[in-house]
Amino acid sequence: MATRSTPPAASAPNYTGPFITVTILYFIFGFITNLNMQLVPHLKSVFSLPWLQAALANGAFFTAYFVVSSPTSKLIEAIGYKKTIVVSLFVQVAGALLFLPAASLPNFWLFLTAVFIVGSGVAMLQTSANPYVSALGPENSAPVRQNLAQAFNSIGGMLAPVVAGALILKHKVVLDAAQLATKTAQERLAYQISIASTVRMPYLAIAGALILLGIAVSFASLPTIKHTQEFRPTKEGVGILDQSIWSYRQTVLATVGIFFYVGVEVGLAQFMVGYFGLPELGGMTAAAAAAFTFYYWAGALVGRLLGSWMLTKINAGRLLGLFGLFAVVCVVVSISTTGTIAVWSLILCGFFNSIMFPNIFALGITGLGPMTSKGSGLIMTAVVGGAIIPVILGGLVDHFSFRPAAILPILCYLYIAFYGFVGHKPSRTLTA
């Protein structure tokens, strides 16, 4: 009796190697993003700036997301994910090298230009790496890959303040504007150069590492992802795709939520260095305070790992709402106390920040179907909150000091709690 042979089933592709490669990129942009935040107190010292003007360093970095995200999507369409990743790394190299003349002159606006170019490269890297990680395997396991990759992002973020404290914020004598006014022009220039020069070695090392990584990625065997239409900009067509994304309440409110979340996370990390220097909080030096923010980012790492488990027990919206309220409590406790309690309660905000971005994003695109790419694009533009909220917070600190300025992060967290409990619920269903 004849038997029919069955052809062996095609084995699933092994994406372990490519995933490890891309995960290294998450570490890189986590490290560079948080290292940039430490430039705010550094530039304040170099140029004797008010907090508002020093915060423009973060403004330049996160404005890059608003400027380059959409063009990067088109670049991905033209040359693919791998080549876009390589281009993004070399854009960061150009920005890192620009820190050398900026520190030698020194020139504040050249510093901001360097920050913007580095931020553009990081924005390009995130725009290409995030969907690429999601596509490296089955759709149902994409959240697992994203959480694991984001954990390495947090590790990079944890190490950045330590490096900044040891290498960039190591100056022991910081002169304010009144003290500088008593110096001659030559003495002021010598002082600025001596402090500004501390960025040279770190950014030169970053440029070298990025060059090596760019070469390695260009020669790496990364699979070409073709089934990624859901991650690309949606082209206008007929029916569903012609509907306005602004008519989806959960998506619009999520965009506002991401704006506030990125703004408050960056704002708190940025101003911890100055806040922890207050006499009633122990009067830490800039280097010691920067090293202390390691625990802020460590909290985010722990929260992401625990949050993945907690989401199997608690509804995503409810957990987001609870974390928003707990973050409010942390800020209120910090500004109402002194010493160790005030320091650690603010650091604890890092833990409650952990699940906010992925939860807001996921809830914001729920039920969009073919409109998902439009919703994703709208939400990601709100990362510009990292440019705006810290600048506003800097202005409040200049005019009212740190404790009264804390009303801004409190309001941000209250909105996030509102979105978790109420705002994420869809007001309409997808219709053809």
Side-chain angles (χ1 to χ4, degrees), residues 39 42-43 45-47 96-107 111 163-164 166-173 188-205:
L39 287 177
H42 183 68
L43 294 178
S45 300
V46 173
F47 299 103
L97 291 177
L98 193 57
F99 276 93
L100 303 183
S104 298
L105 291 175
N107 184 281
F111 266 112
V163 172
L167 300 178
I168 296 178
L169 300 174
K170 61 182 181 180
H171 42 275
K172 293 184 171 64
V173 178
R188 286 197 297 270
L189 180 60
Y191 164 78
Q192 290 179 326
I193 291 176
S194 68
I195 296 184
S197 63
T198 59
V199 305
R200 292 177 186 164
M201 187 57 67
Y203 278 93
L204 184 60

Side-chain angles (χ1 to χ4, degrees), residues 73-138:
S73 296
K74 293 180 173 58
L75 184 63
I76 292 171
E77 289 288 328
I79 66 176
Y81 287 104
K82 177 180 173 179
K83 291 181 180 178
T84 303
I85 289 172
V86 173
V87 170
S88 74
L89 292 172
F90 283 101
V91 169
Q92 291 173 66
V93 169
L97 291 177
L98 193 57
F99 276 93
L100 303 183
S104 298
L105 291 175
N107 184 281
F108 177 67
W109 297 106
L110 195 55
F111 266 112
L112 291 190
T113 302
V115 168
F116 178 81
I117 294 174
V118 170
S120 297
V122 172
M124 293 174 67
L125 181 57
Q126 282 200 275
T127 303
S128 51
N130 281 328
Y132 193 78
V133 164
S134 295
L136 285 176

Side-chain angles (χ1 to χ4, degrees), residues 241-281:
L241 297 184
D242 274 340
Q243 296 177 13
S244 172
I245 193 62
W246 294 95
S247 63
Y248 293 89
R249 175 178 179 268
Q250 76 274 23
T251 307
V252 175
L253 295 183
T255 303
V256 179
I258 290 294
F259 180 90
F260 284 142
Y261 161 72
V262 177
V264 72
E265 182 188 51
V266 173
L268 286 182
Q270 171 182 294
F271 290 102
M272 277 182 181
V273 175
Y275 182 58
F276 291 167
L278 295 177
E280 60 268 31
L281 270 72

Side-chain angles (χ1 to χ4, degrees), residues 142-221:
V144 177
R145 293 190 297 278
Q146 284 287 354
N147 275 308
L148 184 56
Q150 287 290 345
F152 279 84
N153 178 285
S154 295
I155 293 172
M158 288 163 51
L159 293 179
V162 177
V163 172
L167 300 178
I168 296 178
L169 300 174
K170 61 182 181 180
H171 42 275
K172 293 184 171 64
V173 178
V174 176
L175 305 180
D176 58 26
Q179 292 171 317
L180 275 180
T182 65
K183 306 292 183 181
T184 65
Q186 188 173 2
E187 289 174 332
R188 286 197 297 270
L189 180 60
Y191 164 78
Q192 290 179 326
I193 291 176
S194 68
I195 296 184
S197 63
T198 59
V199 305
R200 292 177 186 164
M201 187 57 67
Y203 278 93
L204 184 60
I206 287 172
L210 289 172
I211 289 173
L212 293 177
L213 185 58
I215 294 172
V217 172
S218 64
F219 285 100
S221 179

Side-chain angles (χ1 to χ4, degrees), residues 332-353:
V332 170
V333 169
S334 181
I335 64 175
S336 304
T337 58
T338 58
T340 302
I341 295 177
V343 169
W344 283 102
S345 56
L346 196 65
I347 287 175
L348 191 57
C349 286
F351 175 84
F352 294 115
N353 286 343

